[in-house]
Amino acid sequence: MSSTVATQLPTGTWSIDPVHSSIGFGVKHLGVSTFRGSFKQASGSLTSADGAITAVDGTVRVENVQTEEPQLTGHLHSEDFFHGEKYPEITFKSTSIEPAADDKLRITGDLTIRGVTKPVELDAELEGVGDGPDGNPRLGISASGAIDRSDWGIVWNQPLANGALAVAERVTIQLHVEAVKV
């Protein structure tokens, strides 16, 4: 018989480590496969008190979106998608964080894309806490959720002969964050 012990989390502010964090997304392409992209150089912070994460905020710059195809990356920067010239940042700020079980959390917050702010829910898990080689405490947290991109004014599409759309409306979000206590 085994039991799960929740991770002990020191009180404080934690800064996102952009080198050891990844922010990704996936969307059905042509109705047949999932296309994946990512954002590099995320910034933000987490706050903890009384052994729990109490606040999360983060920012990615649209200029840091990456795909395997430069032409596609350019299209994501355009007015058809993120419109990076007019809206250079995507932000998230938590509004509530509820424990789900052991190290699992339900994070609700405001996601702003293209100047539109809408609530989203993320399922999260505190993956661990420990000291880095420099002696500074670090934590790892992963989170996932899904949004309908049209809610943020991202509506470009092409209908296909097979009845599918070139790009699905539902977009999954995956975050793997390492943060350093400041």
PDB file of all heavy atoms in Angstrom, residues 44-85:
ATOM      1  N   GLY A  44       7.602  35.789 -16.137  1.00  0.00           N
ATOM      2  CA  GLY A  44       6.502  35.840 -15.186  1.00  0.00           C
ATOM      3  C   GLY A  44       6.926  35.377 -13.818  1.00  0.00           C
ATOM      4  O   GLY A  44       8.119  35.193 -13.543  1.00  0.00           O
ATOM      5  N   SER A  45       5.924  35.182 -12.961  1.00  0.00           N
ATOM      6  CA  SER A  45       6.219  34.781 -11.593  1.00  0.00           C
ATOM      7  C   SER A  45       5.091  33.946 -11.011  1.00  0.00           C
ATOM      8  O   SER A  45       3.968  33.953 -11.508  1.00  0.00           O
ATOM      9  CB  SER A  45       6.464  36.011 -10.720  1.00  0.00           C
ATOM     10  OG  SER A  45       5.274  36.769 -10.619  1.00  0.00           O
ATOM     11  N   LEU A  46       5.447  33.235  -9.959  1.00  0.00           N
ATOM     12  CA  LEU A  46       4.497  32.503  -9.138  1.00  0.00           C
ATOM     13  C   LEU A  46       4.695  32.987  -7.714  1.00  0.00           C
ATOM     14  O   LEU A  46       5.804  33.346  -7.323  1.00  0.00           O
ATOM     15  CB  LEU A  46       4.745  30.996  -9.193  1.00  0.00           C
ATOM     16  CG  LEU A  46       4.562  30.321 -10.548  1.00  0.00           C
ATOM     17  CD1 LEU A  46       5.854  30.312 -11.330  1.00  0.00           C
ATOM     18  CD2 LEU A  46       4.061  28.914 -10.343  1.00  0.00           C
ATOM     19  N   THR A  47       3.629  33.000  -6.955  1.00  0.00           N
ATOM     20  CA  THR A  47       3.700  33.376  -5.549  1.00  0.00           C
ATOM     21  C   THR A  47       3.189  32.205  -4.724  1.00  0.00           C
ATOM     22  O   THR A  47       2.203  31.554  -5.103  1.00  0.00           O
ATOM     23  CB  THR A  47       2.842  34.631  -5.268  1.00  0.00           C
ATOM     24  OG1 THR A  47       3.261  35.673  -6.144  1.00  0.00           O
ATOM     25  CG2 THR A  47       2.983  35.091  -3.827  1.00  0.00           C
ATOM     26  N   SER A  48       3.868  31.931  -3.618  1.00  0.00           N
ATOM     27  CA  SER A  48       3.439  30.847  -2.740  1.00  0.00           C
ATOM     28  C   SER A  48       3.351  31.353  -1.303  1.00  0.00           C
ATOM     29  O   SER A  48       4.108  32.229  -0.889  1.00  0.00           O
ATOM     30  CB  SER A  48       4.409  29.668  -2.821  1.00  0.00           C
ATOM     31  OG  SER A  48       5.718  30.081  -2.475  1.00  0.00           O
ATOM     32  N   ALA A  49       2.391  30.801  -0.588  1.00  0.00           N
ATOM     33  CA  ALA A  49       2.209  31.116   0.837  1.00  0.00           C
ATOM     34  C   ALA A  49       1.539  29.925   1.499  1.00  0.00           C
ATOM     35  O   ALA A  49       0.711  29.246   0.881  1.00  0.00           O
ATOM     36  CB  ALA A  49       1.357  32.374   1.008  1.00  0.00           C
ATOM     37  N   ASP A  50       1.890  29.681   2.739  1.00  0.00           N
ATOM     38  CA  ASP A  50       1.293  28.590   3.508  1.00  0.00           C
ATOM     39  C   ASP A  50       1.336  27.256   2.759  1.00  0.00           C
ATOM     40  O   ASP A  50       0.399  26.473   2.799  1.00  0.00           O
ATOM     41  CB  ASP A  50      -0.150  28.936   3.902  1.00  0.00           C
ATOM     42  CG  ASP A  50      -0.225  30.188   4.748  1.00  0.00           C
ATOM     43  OD1 ASP A  50       0.660  30.380   5.597  1.00  0.00           O
ATOM     44  OD2 ASP A  50      -1.164  30.990   4.551  1.00  0.00           O
ATOM     45  N   GLY A  51       2.450  27.011   2.037  1.00  0.00           N
ATOM     46  CA  GLY A  51       2.641  25.739   1.368  1.00  0.00           C
ATOM     47  C   GLY A  51       1.879  25.568   0.063  1.00  0.00           C
ATOM     48  O   GLY A  51       1.819  24.471  -0.466  1.00  0.00           O
ATOM     49  N   ALA A  52       1.284  26.647  -0.470  1.00  0.00           N
ATOM     50  CA  ALA A  52       0.492  26.533  -1.696  1.00  0.00           C
ATOM     51  C   ALA A  52       0.828  27.662  -2.663  1.00  0.00           C
ATOM     52  O   ALA A  52       1.226  28.751  -2.259  1.00  0.00           O
ATOM     53  CB  ALA A  52      -0.998  26.599  -1.354  1.00  0.00           C
ATOM     54  N   ILE A  53       0.645  27.380  -3.936  1.00  0.00           N
ATOM     55  CA  ILE A  53       0.768  28.434  -4.945  1.00  0.00           C
ATOM     56  C   ILE A  53      -0.483  29.295  -4.855  1.00  0.00           C
ATOM     57  O   ILE A  53      -1.605  28.787  -4.893  1.00  0.00           O
ATOM     58  CB  ILE A  53       0.943  27.835  -6.350  1.00  0.00           C
ATOM     59  CG1 ILE A  53       2.269  27.081  -6.424  1.00  0.00           C
ATOM     60  CG2 ILE A  53       0.882  28.925  -7.424  1.00  0.00           C
ATOM     61  CD1 ILE A  53       2.501  26.345  -7.709  1.00  0.00           C
ATOM     62  N   THR A  54      -0.283  30.598  -4.730  1.00  0.00           N
ATOM     63  CA  THR A  54      -1.410  31.509  -4.536  1.00  0.00           C
ATOM     64  C   THR A  54      -1.634  32.454  -5.711  1.00  0.00           C
ATOM     65  O   THR A  54      -2.704  33.055  -5.811  1.00  0.00           O
ATOM     66  CB  THR A  54      -1.211  32.347  -3.260  1.00  0.00           C
ATOM     67  OG1 THR A  54       0.037  33.046  -3.354  1.00  0.00           O
ATOM     68  CG2 THR A  54      -1.207  31.459  -2.017  1.00  0.00           C
ATOM     69  N   ALA A  55      -0.657  32.614  -6.589  1.00  0.00           N
ATOM     70  CA  ALA A  55      -0.813  33.488  -7.750  1.00  0.00           C
ATOM     71  C   ALA A  55       0.175  33.080  -8.839  1.00  0.00           C
ATOM     72  O   ALA A  55       1.269  32.604  -8.552  1.00  0.00           O
ATOM     73  CB  ALA A  55      -0.581  34.941  -7.361  1.00  0.00           C
ATOM     74  N   VAL A  56      -0.244  33.290 -10.080  1.00  0.00           N
ATOM     75  CA  VAL A  56       0.577  32.993 -11.245  1.00  0.00           C
ATOM     76  C   VAL A  56       0.362  34.100 -12.260  1.00  0.00           C
ATOM     77  O   VAL A  56      -0.779  34.511 -12.493  1.00  0.00           O
ATOM     78  CB  VAL A  56       0.180  31.648 -11.897  1.00  0.00           C
ATOM     79  CG1 VAL A  56       0.972  31.402 -13.166  1.00  0.00           C
ATOM     80  CG2 VAL A  56       0.335  30.495 -10.931  1.00  0.00           C
ATOM     81  N   ASP A  57       1.437  34.600 -12.833  1.00  0.00           N
ATOM     82  CA  ASP A  57       1.292  35.494 -13.982  1.00  0.00           C
ATOM     83  C   ASP A  57       2.420  35.211 -14.952  1.00  0.00           C
ATOM     84  O   ASP A  57       3.512  34.801 -14.557  1.00  0.00           O
ATOM     85  CB  ASP A  57       1.271  36.967 -13.566  1.00  0.00           C
ATOM     86  CG  ASP A  57       2.619  37.478 -13.114  1.00  0.00           C
ATOM     87  OD1 ASP A  57       3.436  37.824 -13.986  1.00  0.00           O
ATOM     88  OD2 ASP A  57       2.855  37.533 -11.896  1.00  0.00           O
ATOM     89  N   GLY A  58       2.114  35.369 -16.228  1.00  0.00           N
ATOM     90  CA  GLY A  58       3.121  35.083 -17.229  1.00  0.00           C
ATOM     91  C   GLY A  58       2.883  35.858 -18.509  1.00  0.00           C
ATOM     92  O   GLY A  58       1.766  36.286 -18.796  1.00  0.00           O
ATOM     93  N   THR A  59       3.963  36.025 -19.262  1.00  0.00           N
ATOM     94  CA  THR A  59       3.921  36.746 -20.534  1.00  0.00           C
ATOM     95  C   THR A  59       4.799  36.028 -21.542  1.00  0.00           C
ATOM     96  O   THR A  59       5.894  35.574 -21.208  1.00  0.00           O
ATOM     97  CB  THR A  59       4.440  38.194 -20.358  1.00  0.00           C
ATOM     98  OG1 THR A  59       3.616  38.862 -19.400  1.00  0.00           O
ATOM     99  CG2 THR A  59       4.418  38.963 -21.670  1.00  0.00           C
ATOM    100  N   VAL A  60       4.309  35.925 -22.770  1.00  0.00           N
ATOM    101  CA  VAL A  60       5.132  35.513 -23.897  1.00  0.00           C
ATOM    102  C   VAL A  60       5.002  36.591 -24.960  1.00  0.00           C
ATOM    103  O   VAL A  60       3.971  37.234 -25.090  1.00  0.00           O
ATOM    104  CB  VAL A  60       4.737  34.133 -24.483  1.00  0.00           C
ATOM    105  CG1 VAL A  60       5.025  33.035 -23.487  1.00  0.00           C
ATOM    106  CG2 VAL A  60       3.307  34.096 -24.942  1.00  0.00           C
ATOM    107  N   ARG A  61       6.087  36.785 -25.685  1.00  0.00           N
ATOM    108  CA  ARG A  61       6.082  37.748 -26.786  1.00  0.00           C
ATOM    109  C   ARG A  61       5.762  37.003 -28.083  1.00  0.00           C
ATOM    110  O   ARG A  61       6.337  35.940 -28.342  1.00  0.00           O
ATOM    111  CB  ARG A  61       7.411  38.479 -26.877  1.00  0.00           C
ATOM    112  CG  ARG A  61       7.651  39.341 -25.603  1.00  0.00           C
ATOM    113  CD  ARG A  61       8.708  40.384 -25.764  1.00  0.00           C
ATOM    114  NE  ARG A  61       8.596  41.210 -26.947  1.00  0.00           N
ATOM    115  CZ  ARG A  61       7.810  42.296 -27.067  1.00  0.00           C
ATOM    116  NH1 ARG A  61       7.055  42.678 -26.051  1.00  0.00           N
ATOM    117  NH2 ARG A  61       7.789  42.993 -28.192  1.00  0.00           N
ATOM    118  N   VAL A  62       4.846  37.564 -28.862  1.00  0.00           N
ATOM    119  CA  VAL A  62       4.444  36.935 -30.111  1.00  0.00           C
ATOM    120  C   VAL A  62       5.649  36.737 -31.021  1.00  0.00           C
ATOM    121  O   VAL A  62       5.747  35.719 -31.719  1.00  0.00           O
ATOM    122  CB  VAL A  62       3.331  37.762 -30.798  1.00  0.00           C
ATOM    123  CG1 VAL A  62       3.057  37.254 -32.212  1.00  0.00           C
ATOM    124  CG2 VAL A  62       2.060  37.716 -29.954  1.00  0.00           C
ATOM    125  N   GLU A  63       6.606  37.630 -30.998  1.00  0.00           N
ATOM    126  CA  GLU A  63       7.802  37.483 -31.842  1.00  0.00           C
ATOM    127  C   GLU A  63       8.578  36.213 -31.525  1.00  0.00           C
ATOM    128  O   GLU A  63       9.406  35.772 -32.315  1.00  0.00           O
ATOM    129  CB  GLU A  63       8.718  38.701 -31.712  1.00  0.00           C
ATOM    130  CG  GLU A  63       9.352  38.840 -30.350  1.00  0.00           C
ATOM    131  CD  GLU A  63      10.059  40.170 -30.132  1.00  0.00           C
ATOM    132  OE1 GLU A  63       9.716  41.153 -30.787  1.00  0.00           O
ATOM    133  OE2 GLU A  63      10.963  40.193 -29.278  1.00  0.00           O
ATOM    134  N   ASN A  64       8.310  35.599 -30.373  1.00  0.00           N
ATOM    135  CA  ASN A  64       9.023  34.389 -29.959  1.00  0.00           C
ATOM    136  C   ASN A  64       8.264  33.102 -30.271  1.00  0.00           C
ATOM    137  O   ASN A  64       8.655  32.034 -29.804  1.00  0.00           O
ATOM    138  CB  ASN A  64       9.357  34.455 -28.475  1.00  0.00           C
ATOM    139  CG  ASN A  64      10.394  35.515 -28.172  1.00  0.00           C
ATOM    140  OD1 ASN A  64      11.206  35.858 -29.022  1.00  0.00           O
ATOM    141  ND2 ASN A  64      10.357  36.058 -26.981  1.00  0.00           N
ATOM    142  N   VAL A  65       7.172  33.180 -31.050  1.00  0.00           N
ATOM    143  CA  VAL A  65       6.484  31.955 -31.465  1.00  0.00           C
ATOM    144  C   VAL A  65       7.393  31.218 -32.437  1.00  0.00           C
ATOM    145  O   VAL A  65       8.082  31.842 -33.252  1.00  0.00           O
ATOM    146  CB  VAL A  65       5.094  32.241 -32.076  1.00  0.00           C
ATOM    147  CG1 VAL A  65       5.174  32.962 -33.402  1.00  0.00           C
ATOM    148  CG2 VAL A  65       4.292  30.952 -32.215  1.00  0.00           C
ATOM    149  N   GLN A  66       7.427  29.895 -32.306  1.00  0.00           N
ATOM    150  CA  GLN A  66       8.292  29.086 -33.156  1.00  0.00           C
ATOM    151  C   GLN A  66       7.530  27.895 -33.703  1.00  0.00           C
ATOM    152  O   GLN A  66       6.752  27.260 -32.992  1.00  0.00           O
ATOM    153  CB  GLN A  66       9.502  28.583 -32.375  1.00  0.00           C
ATOM    154  CG  GLN A  66      10.443  29.672 -31.970  1.00  0.00           C
ATOM    155  CD  GLN A  66      11.737  29.113 -31.424  1.00  0.00           C
ATOM    156  OE1 GLN A  66      11.797  27.996 -30.935  1.00  0.00           O
ATOM    157  NE2 GLN A  66      12.793  29.901 -31.514  1.00  0.00           N
ATOM    158  N   THR A  67       7.794  27.618 -34.986  1.00  0.00           N
ATOM    159  CA  THR A  67       7.334  26.388 -35.620  1.00  0.00           C
ATOM    160  C   THR A  67       8.520  25.835 -36.403  1.00  0.00           C
ATOM    161  O   THR A  67       9.579  26.460 -36.470  1.00  0.00           O
ATOM    162  CB  THR A  67       6.154  26.637 -36.584  1.00  0.00           C
ATOM    163  OG1 THR A  67       6.639  27.321 -37.745  1.00  0.00           O
ATOM    164  CG2 THR A  67       5.043  27.447 -35.922  1.00  0.00           C
ATOM    165  N   GLU A  68       8.335  24.704 -37.021  1.00  0.00           N
ATOM    166  CA  GLU A  68       9.403  24.097 -37.823  1.00  0.00           C
ATOM    167  C   GLU A  68       9.498  24.732 -39.205  1.00  0.00           C
ATOM    168  O   GLU A  68      10.419  24.426 -39.962  1.00  0.00           O
ATOM    169  CB  GLU A  68       9.165  22.588 -37.956  1.00  0.00           C
ATOM    170  CG  GLU A  68       9.244  21.844 -36.634  1.00  0.00           C
ATOM    171  CD  GLU A  68      10.618  21.909 -36.003  1.00  0.00           C
ATOM    172  OE1 GLU A  68      11.632  21.845 -36.722  1.00  0.00           O
ATOM    173  OE2 GLU A  68      10.680  22.037 -34.767  1.00  0.00           O
ATOM    174  N   GLU A  69       8.563  25.610 -39.564  1.00  0.00           N
ATOM    175  CA  GLU A  69       8.498  26.177 -40.903  1.00  0.00           C
ATOM    176  C   GLU A  69       8.479  27.706 -40.833  1.00  0.00           C
ATOM    177  O   GLU A  69       7.522  28.282 -40.321  1.00  0.00           O
ATOM    178  CB  GLU A  69       7.239  25.669 -41.612  1.00  0.00           C
ATOM    179  CG  GLU A  69       6.862  26.376 -42.885  1.00  0.00           C
ATOM    180  CD  GLU A  69       7.969  26.365 -43.925  1.00  0.00           C
ATOM    181  OE1 GLU A  69       8.577  25.309 -44.150  1.00  0.00           O
ATOM    182  OE2 GLU A  69       8.238  27.431 -44.483  1.00  0.00           O
ATOM    183  N   PRO A  70       9.520  28.388 -41.298  1.00  0.00           N
ATOM    184  CA  PRO A  70       9.589  29.855 -41.211  1.00  0.00           C
ATOM    185  C   PRO A  70       8.392  30.578 -41.838  1.00  0.00           C
ATOM    186  O   PRO A  70       7.915  31.577 -41.295  1.00  0.00           O
ATOM    187  CB  PRO A  70      10.884  30.207 -41.950  1.00  0.00           C
ATOM    188  CG  PRO A  70      11.718  28.973 -41.855  1.00  0.00           C
ATOM    189  CD  PRO A  70      10.744  27.825 -41.879  1.00  0.00           C
ATOM    190  N   GLN A  71       7.880  30.083 -42.957  1.00  0.00           N
ATOM    191  CA  GLN A  71       6.731  30.727 -43.596  1.00  0.00           C
ATOM    192  C   GLN A  71       5.491  30.626 -42.695  1.00  0.00           C
ATOM    193  O   GLN A  71       4.745  31.583 -42.543  1.00  0.00           O
ATOM    194  CB  GLN A  71       6.452  30.099 -44.957  1.00  0.00           C
ATOM    195  CG  GLN A  71       5.349  30.807 -45.723  1.00  0.00           C
ATOM    196  CD  GLN A  71       5.164  30.222 -47.118  1.00  0.00           C
ATOM    197  OE1 GLN A  71       5.900  29.365 -47.560  1.00  0.00           O
ATOM    198  NE2 GLN A  71       4.160  30.718 -47.811  1.00  0.00           N
ATOM    199  N   LEU A  72       5.303  29.480 -42.063  1.00  0.00           N
ATOM    200  CA  LEU A  72       4.181  29.304 -41.143  1.00  0.00           C
ATOM    201  C   LEU A  72       4.354  30.181 -39.907  1.00  0.00           C
ATOM    202  O   LEU A  72       3.393  30.803 -39.435  1.00  0.00           O
ATOM    203  CB  LEU A  72       4.045  27.833 -40.742  1.00  0.00           C
ATOM    204  CG  LEU A  72       2.921  27.505 -39.774  1.00  0.00           C
ATOM    205  CD1 LEU A  72       1.581  27.993 -40.278  1.00  0.00           C
ATOM    206  CD2 LEU A  72       2.874  26.025 -39.521  1.00  0.00           C
ATOM    207  N   THR A  73       5.568  30.249 -39.385  1.00  0.00           N
ATOM    208  CA  THR A  73       5.825  31.132 -38.244  1.00  0.00           C
ATOM    209  C   THR A  73       5.456  32.567 -38.607  1.00  0.00           C
ATOM    210  O   THR A  73       4.798  33.268 -37.831  1.00  0.00           O
ATOM    211  CB  THR A  73       7.300  31.046 -37.808  1.00  0.00           C
ATOM    212  OG1 THR A  73       7.567  29.705 -37.389  1.00  0.00           O
ATOM    213  CG2 THR A  73       7.599  31.988 -36.661  1.00  0.00           C
ATOM    214  N   GLY A  74       5.847  33.013 -39.798  1.00  0.00           N
ATOM    215  CA  GLY A  74       5.487  34.348 -40.262  1.00  0.00           C
ATOM    216  C   GLY A  74       3.988  34.541 -40.349  1.00  0.00           C
ATOM    217  O   GLY A  74       3.463  35.608 -39.995  1.00  0.00           O
ATOM    218  N   HIS A  75       3.263  33.513 -40.810  1.00  0.00           N
ATOM    219  CA  HIS A  75       1.805  33.612 -40.891  1.00  0.00           C
ATOM    220  C   HIS A  75       1.200  33.752 -39.491  1.00  0.00           C
ATOM    221  O   HIS A  75       0.247  34.509 -39.299  1.00  0.00           O
ATOM    222  CB  HIS A  75       1.227  32.400 -41.627  1.00  0.00           C
ATOM    223  CG  HIS A  75      -0.197  32.572 -42.041  1.00  0.00           C
ATOM    224  ND1 HIS A  75      -1.000  31.520 -42.345  1.00  0.00           N
ATOM    225  CD2 HIS A  75      -0.968  33.677 -42.195  1.00  0.00           C
ATOM    226  CE1 HIS A  75      -2.204  31.951 -42.671  1.00  0.00           C
ATOM    227  NE2 HIS A  75      -2.220  33.267 -42.579  1.00  0.00           N
ATOM    228  N   LEU A  76       1.744  33.046 -38.499  1.00  0.00           N
ATOM    229  CA  LEU A  76       1.232  33.176 -37.126  1.00  0.00           C
ATOM    230  C   LEU A  76       1.450  34.591 -36.577  1.00  0.00           C
ATOM    231  O   LEU A  76       0.655  35.078 -35.778  1.00  0.00           O
ATOM    232  CB  LEU A  76       1.892  32.151 -36.207  1.00  0.00           C
ATOM    233  CG  LEU A  76       1.503  30.695 -36.454  1.00  0.00           C
ATOM    234  CD1 LEU A  76       2.304  29.774 -35.548  1.00  0.00           C
ATOM    235  CD2 LEU A  76       0.013  30.478 -36.262  1.00  0.00           C
ATOM    236  N   HIS A  77       2.494  35.274 -37.011  1.00  0.00           N
ATOM    237  CA  HIS A  77       2.754  36.649 -36.580  1.00  0.00           C
ATOM    238  C   HIS A  77       1.780  37.635 -37.219  1.00  0.00           C
ATOM    239  O   HIS A  77       1.586  38.725 -36.696  1.00  0.00           O
ATOM    240  CB  HIS A  77       4.175  37.074 -36.979  1.00  0.00           C
ATOM    241  CG  HIS A  77       5.255  36.434 -36.184  1.00  0.00           C
ATOM    242  ND1 HIS A  77       6.380  37.112 -35.801  1.00  0.00           N
ATOM    243  CD2 HIS A  77       5.413  35.183 -35.692  1.00  0.00           C
ATOM    244  CE1 HIS A  77       7.169  36.310 -35.119  1.00  0.00           C
ATOM    245  NE2 HIS A  77       6.598  35.141 -35.047  1.00  0.00           N
ATOM    246  N   SER A  78       1.184  37.261 -38.332  1.00  0.00           N
ATOM    247  CA  SER A  78       0.373  38.178 -39.137  1.00  0.00           C
ATOM    248  C   SER A  78      -0.988  38.486 -38.511  1.00  0.00           C
ATOM    249  O   SER A  78      -1.385  37.899 -37.507  1.00  0.00           O
ATOM    250  CB  SER A  78       0.168  37.585 -40.533  1.00  0.00           C
ATOM    251  OG  SER A  78      -0.834  36.568 -40.503  1.00  0.00           O
ATOM    252  N   GLU A  79      -1.714  39.382 -39.167  1.00  0.00           N
ATOM    253  CA  GLU A  79      -3.062  39.758 -38.724  1.00  0.00           C
ATOM    254  C   GLU A  79      -4.017  38.567 -38.729  1.00  0.00           C
ATOM    255  O   GLU A  79      -5.008  38.572 -37.991  1.00  0.00           O
ATOM    256  CB  GLU A  79      -3.621  40.864 -39.622  1.00  0.00           C
ATOM    257  CG  GLU A  79      -2.918  42.187 -39.461  1.00  0.00           C
ATOM    258  CD  GLU A  79      -3.500  43.257 -40.367  1.00  0.00           C
ATOM    259  OE1 GLU A  79      -4.737  43.290 -40.550  1.00  0.00           O
ATOM    260  OE2 GLU A  79      -2.715  44.064 -40.879  1.00  0.00           O
ATOM    261  N   ASP A  80      -3.750  37.553 -39.549  1.00  0.00           N
ATOM    262  CA  ASP A  80      -4.623  36.378 -39.592  1.00  0.00           C
ATOM    263  C   ASP A  80      -4.655  35.638 -38.263  1.00  0.00           C
ATOM    264  O   ASP A  80      -5.662  34.990 -37.931  1.00  0.00           O
ATOM    265  CB  ASP A  80      -4.164  35.399 -40.677  1.00  0.00           C
ATOM    266  CG  ASP A  80      -4.435  35.890 -42.079  1.00  0.00           C
ATOM    267  OD1 ASP A  80      -5.257  36.811 -42.258  1.00  0.00           O
ATOM    268  OD2 ASP A  80      -3.800  35.342 -43.013  1.00  0.00           O
ATOM    269  N   PHE A  81      -3.548  35.711 -37.518  1.00  0.00           N
ATOM    270  CA  PHE A  81      -3.473  34.969 -36.260  1.00  0.00           C
ATOM    271  C   PHE A  81      -3.171  35.911 -35.095  1.00  0.00           C
ATOM    272  O   PHE A  81      -4.071  36.580 -34.610  1.00  0.00           O
ATOM    273  CB  PHE A  81      -2.458  33.821 -36.369  1.00  0.00           C
ATOM    274  CG  PHE A  81      -2.953  32.711 -37.258  1.00  0.00           C
ATOM    275  CD1 PHE A  81      -2.606  32.679 -38.595  1.00  0.00           C
ATOM    276  CD2 PHE A  81      -3.790  31.733 -36.762  1.00  0.00           C
ATOM    277  CE1 PHE A  81      -3.083  31.674 -39.421  1.00  0.00           C
ATOM    278  CE2 PHE A  81      -4.274  30.719 -37.572  1.00  0.00           C
ATOM    279  CZ  PHE A  81      -3.922  30.691 -38.914  1.00  0.00           C
ATOM    280  N   PHE A  82      -1.934  35.987 -34.624  1.00  0.00           N
ATOM    281  CA  PHE A  82      -1.624  36.761 -33.413  1.00  0.00           C
ATOM    282  C   PHE A  82      -1.523  38.266 -33.640  1.00  0.00           C
ATOM    283  O   PHE A  82      -1.607  39.022 -32.693  1.00  0.00           O
ATOM    284  CB  PHE A  82      -0.327  36.248 -32.773  1.00  0.00           C
ATOM    285  CG  PHE A  82      -0.446  34.847 -32.234  1.00  0.00           C
ATOM    286  CD1 PHE A  82       0.381  33.846 -32.712  1.00  0.00           C
ATOM    287  CD2 PHE A  82      -1.365  34.532 -31.258  1.00  0.00           C
ATOM    288  CE1 PHE A  82       0.288  32.555 -32.226  1.00  0.00           C
ATOM    289  CE2 PHE A  82      -1.479  33.250 -30.756  1.00  0.00           C
ATOM    290  CZ  PHE A  82      -0.646  32.252 -31.246  1.00  0.00           C
ATOM    291  N   HIS A  83      -1.327  38.704 -34.871  1.00  0.00           N
ATOM    292  CA  HIS A  83      -1.185  40.138 -35.192  1.00  0.00           C
ATOM    293  C   HIS A  83      -0.141  40.775 -34.267  1.00  0.00           C
ATOM    294  O   HIS A  83      -0.387  41.739 -33.547  1.00  0.00           O
ATOM    295  CB  HIS A  83      -2.532  40.842 -35.070  1.00  0.00           C
ATOM    296  CG  HIS A  83      -2.621  42.164 -35.746  1.00  0.00           C
ATOM    297  ND1 HIS A  83      -1.536  42.866 -36.224  1.00  0.00           N
ATOM    298  CD2 HIS A  83      -3.685  42.931 -36.026  1.00  0.00           C
ATOM    299  CE1 HIS A  83      -1.932  43.987 -36.754  1.00  0.00           C
ATOM    300  NE2 HIS A  83      -3.243  44.063 -36.657  1.00  0.00           N
ATOM    301  N   GLY A  84       1.051  40.185 -34.307  1.00  0.00           N
ATOM    302  CA  GLY A  84       2.132  40.557 -33.400  1.00  0.00           C
ATOM    303  C   GLY A  84       2.565  42.006 -33.470  1.00  0.00           C
ATOM    304  O   GLY A  84       3.015  42.557 -32.476  1.00  0.00           O
ATOM    305  N   GLU A  85       2.439  42.635 -34.620  1.00  0.00           N
ATOM    306  CA  GLU A  85       2.833  44.036 -34.732  1.00  0.00           C
ATOM    307  C   GLU A  85       1.954  44.929 -33.860  1.00  0.00           C
ATOM    308  O   GLU A  85       2.444  45.839 -33.199  1.00  0.00           O
ATOM    309  CB  GLU A  85       2.751  44.481 -36.194  1.00  0.00           C
ATOM    310  CG  GLU A  85       3.294  45.886 -36.427  1.00  0.00           C
ATOM    311  CD  GLU A  85       3.323  46.229 -37.897  1.00  0.00           C
ATOM    312  OE1 GLU A  85       3.890  45.447 -38.684  1.00  0.00           O
ATOM    313  OE2 GLU A  85       2.762  47.292 -38.247  1.00  0.00           O
TER     314      GLU A  85
END
